[in-house]
């Protein structure tokens, strides 16, 4: 097994993607490991989503979000739903549209407390709200000012890396949409 993307739920359970076995594993606070989802049986065969997961996060309803070639939601009951992407991958980023009709290459995912899902997609920060994808921030030319990793806190504030090689900052976006620098000025 080779663990990758991780997320923690509200009960302190750690979830990670087990690359070698195509499974989401759950580690309880007392360190018991179980299989949360077998993705080889859940995500349709042949989609770019099989074989890798770039990011995991939980939404406000406790659904586990997966950033793969698409963005998927897995409910606690095990139901898997594609919430963004087409099953095709990697042709730049599209700025808007029905979320399940937009080609994605997501590298990270996060959710706010209002039900929106945020995606780092080819350097752009995208939001899925009520089934519609919109671009919040675009990368500059050559991916200067590209958006990288995403995270959210219990208040629903979205944190992201804004890369501008060789410098980078961690920025945060409040519910109001106001973006401020949270930390950093350069990469180590």
């Amino acid at each position: 097994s080779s663990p990758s993307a991780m997320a923690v739920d509200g009960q302190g359970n750690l979830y990670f993607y087990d690359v070698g076995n195509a499974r989401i594993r759950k580690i309880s606070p007392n360190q018991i490991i179980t299989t949360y989802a077998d993705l080889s049986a859940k995500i349709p065969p042949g989609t770019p989503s099989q074989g890798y997961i770039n990011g995991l996060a939980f939404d406000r309803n406790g659904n586990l979000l997966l950033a793969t070639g698409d963005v998927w939601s897995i409910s606690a009951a095990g139901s898997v739903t594609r919430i963004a992407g087409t099953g095709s991958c990697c042709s730049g980023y599209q700025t808007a549209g029905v979320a399940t009709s937009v080609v994605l290459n997501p590298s990270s995912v996060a959710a706010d407390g209002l039900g929106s899902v945020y995606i780092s997609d080819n350097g752009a920060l995208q939001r899925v709200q009520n089934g519609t994808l919109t671009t919040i921030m675009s990368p500059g030319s050559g991916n200067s000012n590209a958006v990288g990793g995403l995270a959210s806190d219990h208040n629903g504030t979205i944190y992201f890396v804004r890369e501008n090689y060789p410098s980078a900052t961690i920025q945060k976006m409040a519910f109001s949409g106001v973006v401020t620098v949270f930390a950093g000025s350069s990469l180590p």
Side-chain angles (χ1 to χ4, degrees), residues 23-182:
R23 287 169 175 61
I24 302 291
R25 305 286 191 189
K26 174 182 170 183
I27 305 175
S28 68
N30 57 354
Q31 299 182 333
I32 295 172
I33 301 173
T34 57
T35 297
Y36 181 76
D38 178 352
L39 298 184
S40 64
K42 301 267 185 194
I43 296 177
T47 65
S49 303
Q50 285 191 317
Y52 68 95
I53 292 180
N54 295 324
L56 294 174
F58 282 93
D59 69 13
R60 68 179 179 176
N61 297 319
N63 298 311
L64 182 61
L65 304 174
L66 290 68
T68 68
D70 300 317
V71 176
W72 299 85
S73 172
I74 302 178
S75 72
S79 172
V80 178
T81 306
R82 184 190 323 237
I83 59 172
T86 63
S88 298
C89 178
C90 312
S91 62
Y93 73 93
Q94 294 175 278
T95 58
V98 175
T100 54
S101 298
V102 176
V103 176
L104 294 175
N105 185 25
S107 61
S108 192
V109 64
D112 68 18
L114 299 175
S116 296
V117 174
Y118 293 83
I119 305 164
S120 173
D121 177 32
N122 282 317
L125 178 60
Q126 312 247 31
R127 179 178 59 215
V128 176
Q129 189 173 42
N130 300 320
T132 300
L133 181 132
T134 54
T135 298
I136 305 300
M137 293 180 186
S138 300
S141 92
N143 264 354
S144 66
N145 289 315
V147 172
L150 299 174
S152 61
D153 65 19
H154 64 281
N155 294 318
T157 301
I158 302 298
Y159 297 85
F160 57 93
V161 175
R162 189 73 184 227
E163 302 168 2
N164 190 2
Y165 186 79
S167 299
T169 57
I170 297 172
Q171 297 184 7
K172 68 178 187 174
M173 182 169 57
F175 276 141
S176 65
V178 174
V179 175
T180 56
V181 173
F182 181 71

Side-chain angles (χ1 to χ4, degrees), residues 5-22:
M6 297 184 297
V8 177
D9 69 13
Q11 290 74 47
N13 297 298
L14 174 73
Y15 297 75
F16 70 93
Y17 180 54
D18 178 352
V19 176
N21 295 300

